[in-house]
């Protein structure tokens, strides 16, 4: 045995006890593992402790947010407290009723309104004063205004019964029209004769027709013609002025009531023929001639007897024909 044999044997023994991983790392083409690969981080040992601490903090925070609930303890029959007074059954019923009663509905509180200080109504007072002044001048003029609904008018009756219209206004009649204004064209005797021919209950009033016609400046022939056309001189079977006892309203023109002091049905009721005849003259002279400015038969009839109730053309032609016949008869006599 030479000197190199012991060295060779020692080398073999060292290789036998050397780990395989070390021996593989010495082989060409392989990397030696890093010494830190199998090292342990000391911080990893504290991770479970930190996780447990955070979990406990979350549980404590959650318990603080939950409402506190008193713990129930178990009591034995001997440890239960005894009431000082026996429990009233009526009180128990009241408590049960309150427990099972329906929940009251929610009602919002009413809004509070600010209280305003009372203010004197100056504007309202001024408006009332102006209205009173306007009404005063409206009703106290020389010729009081009246609302007219022909053939009768809502009006205040003139207190002066003896008022006379001395002269008729000089109003020219348009071509083809017939004015009711003017002196009498027929006499009182002729009027009585015409009323007798019609068997009128107004026979004997001829002088009244002429006298009032002169007073109001209206030809009595037109007044008589209106009387005959409206009621057949008081003899028409369907005349509204005839009463059950045989008397009449003496309403020669069928003037509607419209605020008159005495009425029969919807028409005025007069005490005598003189009163009824004069009211017709006053109606035409004041409300048609003076206020409306109309004075011909063609202008008066559409207002006096509107088309909704009468045949206006027939009414106009009848009045003009009767007046023409009476004037011609007087001229022949």
């Amino acid at each position: 045995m030479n000197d190199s044999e012991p060295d060779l044997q020692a080398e073999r023994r060292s290789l036998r006890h050397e780990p395989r991983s070390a021996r593989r790392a010495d082989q060409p083409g392989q990397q030696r593992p890093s010494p830190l690969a199998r090292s342990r981080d000391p911080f990893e040992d504290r991770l479970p402790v930190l996780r447990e601490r955070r979990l406990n903090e979350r549980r404590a925070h959650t318990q603080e947010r939950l409402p506190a609930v008193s713990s129930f303890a178990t009591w034995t029959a001997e440890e239960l407290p005894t009431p000082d007074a026996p429990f009233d059954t009526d009180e128990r019923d009241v408590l049960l009723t309150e427990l099972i009663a329906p929940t009251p509905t929610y009602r919002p509180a009413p809004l509070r309104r600010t209280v305003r200080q009372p203010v004197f109504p100056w504007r309202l007072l001024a408006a009332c004063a102006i209205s009173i002044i306007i009404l005063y001048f409206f009703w106290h003029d020389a010729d009081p205004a009246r609302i007219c609904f022909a053939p009768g008018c809502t009006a205040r009756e003139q207190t002066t019964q003896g008022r006379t219209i001395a002269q008729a206004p000089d109003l020219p009649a348009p071509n083809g029209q017939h004015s009711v204004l003017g002196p009498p064209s027929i006499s009182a005797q002729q009027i009585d004769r015409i009323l007798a021919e019609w068997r009128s209950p107004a026979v004997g009033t001829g002088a009244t027709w002429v006298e009032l016609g002169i007073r109001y400046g209206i030809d009595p022939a037109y007044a008589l013609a209106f009387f005959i056309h409206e009621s057949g001189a008081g003899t028409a079977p369907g005349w509204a002025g005839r009463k059950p006892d045989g008397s009449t309203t003496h309403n020669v023109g069928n003037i509607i009531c419209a605020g008159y002091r005495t009425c029969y049905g919807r028409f005025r009721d007069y005490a005598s023929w003189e009163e009824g005849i004069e009211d017709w003259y006053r109606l035409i002279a004041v409300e048609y001639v003076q206020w409306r400015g109309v004075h011909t038969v063609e202008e008066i009839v559409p207002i006096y007897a509107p088309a909704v109730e009468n045949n206006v053309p027939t009414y106009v032609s009848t009045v003009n024909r009767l007046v023409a016949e009476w004037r011609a008869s007087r001229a022949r006599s």
Side-chain angles (χ1 to χ4, degrees):
M1 178 179 298
N2 53 15
D3 296 335
S4 60
E5 289 181 357
D7 297 334
L8 182 59
Q9 293 179 356
E11 185 178 356
R12 289 179 179 175
R13 284 194 298 270
S14 62
L15 290 175
R16 188 180 300 121
H17 296 285
E18 187 178 0
R20 293 182 181 182
S21 60
R23 283 183 286 179
R24 290 191 188 130
D26 293 339
Q27 296 179 3
Q30 293 184 356
Q31 296 181 357
R32 184 180 297 275
S34 173
L36 299 177
R38 299 181 61 85
S39 62
R40 182 178 180 84
D41 189 357
F43 186 73
E44 292 180 357
D45 298 337
R46 296 180 55 114
L47 286 178
V49 178
L50 293 176
R51 291 175 183 173
E52 186 68 22
R53 183 184 301 175
R54 291 180 181 178
L55 182 60
N56 293 334
E57 291 177 355
R58 290 182 182 179
R59 288 176 180 176
H61 181 65
T62 304
Q63 290 294 333
E64 291 177 357
R65 294 177 60 185
L66 292 176
V69 180
S70 59
S71 59
F72 295 92
T74 57
W75 296 81
T76 61
E78 293 77 8
E79 295 178 350
L80 289 176
T82 58
D84 297 337
F87 191 77
D88 191 2
T89 56
D90 295 337
E91 185 177 359
R92 182 191 60 185
D93 296 339
V94 171
L95 292 176
L96 290 176
T97 304
E98 293 178 355
L99 290 174
I100 66 176
T103 305
T105 57
Y106 172 73
R107 295 182 179 180
L111 298 177
R112 294 183 179 180
R113 298 183 179 179
T114 57
V115 179
R116 294 183 178 181
Q117 296 295 332
V119 181
F120 190 79
W122 292 105
R123 295 182 180 178
L124 179 61
L125 183 61
C128 293
I130 294 173
S131 302
I132 293 174
I133 294 173
I134 293 174
L135 291 175
Y136 176 81
F137 286 104
F138 183 77
W139 289 104
H140 289 78
D141 53 356
D143 292 325
R146 302 163 71 181
I147 302 174
C148 182
F149 301 95
C153 292
T154 303
R156 293 177 299 166
E157 295 297 327
Q158 298 178 359
T159 57
T160 306
Q161 297 295 334
R163 181 183 178 187
T164 302
I165 301 178
Q167 297 293 335
D170 187 11
L171 299 175
N175 294 330
Q177 297 189 13
H178 304 79
S179 177
V180 300
L181 302 178
S185 60
I186 57 177
S187 63
Q189 293 77 12
Q190 188 177 0
I191 294 176
D192 286 333
R193 187 169 59 253
I194 294 171
L195 293 175
E197 292 175 357
W198 281 89
R199 301 178 184 274
S200 173
V203 173
T205 60
T208 302
W209 293 88
V210 174
E211 179 184 353
L212 293 175
I214 296 173
R215 180 185 302 177
Y216 287 93
I218 298 175
D219 187 352
Y222 287 101
L224 184 62
F226 271 78
F227 181 34
I228 292 176
H229 185 274
E230 284 288 338
S231 62
T235 61
W239 180 38
R242 187 179 300 279
K243 298 181 180 179
D245 59 357
S247 62
T248 66
T249 59
H250 307 100
N251 194 335
V252 298
N254 282 343
I255 303 175
I256 63 174
C257 186
Y260 193 72
R261 58 181 179 271
T262 55
C263 298
Y264 179 75
R266 61 187 291 259
F267 299 99
R268 299 184 183 183
D269 188 7
Y270 304 100
S272 63
W273 288 111
E274 289 75 12
E275 184 179 342
I277 295 169
E278 184 176 4
D279 194 45
W280 187 91
Y281 277 115
R282 184 188 302 112
L283 174 70
I284 300 302
V286 176
E287 299 183 9
Y288 285 84
V289 179
Q290 290 186 4
W291 295 349
R292 296 177 181 270
V294 295
H295 61 96
T296 64
V297 178
E298 290 75 11
E299 295 172 333
I300 294 174
V301 170
I303 305 173
Y304 186 94
V308 295
E309 296 180 354
N310 297 273
N311 189 333
V312 174
T314 301
Y315 202 126
V316 172
S317 63
T318 300
V319 171
N320 291 331
R321 178 177 56 81
L322 290 175
V323 173
E325 291 177 357
W326 296 332
R327 289 175 178 176
S329 176
R330 181 181 182 183
R332 288 195 301 268
S333 59

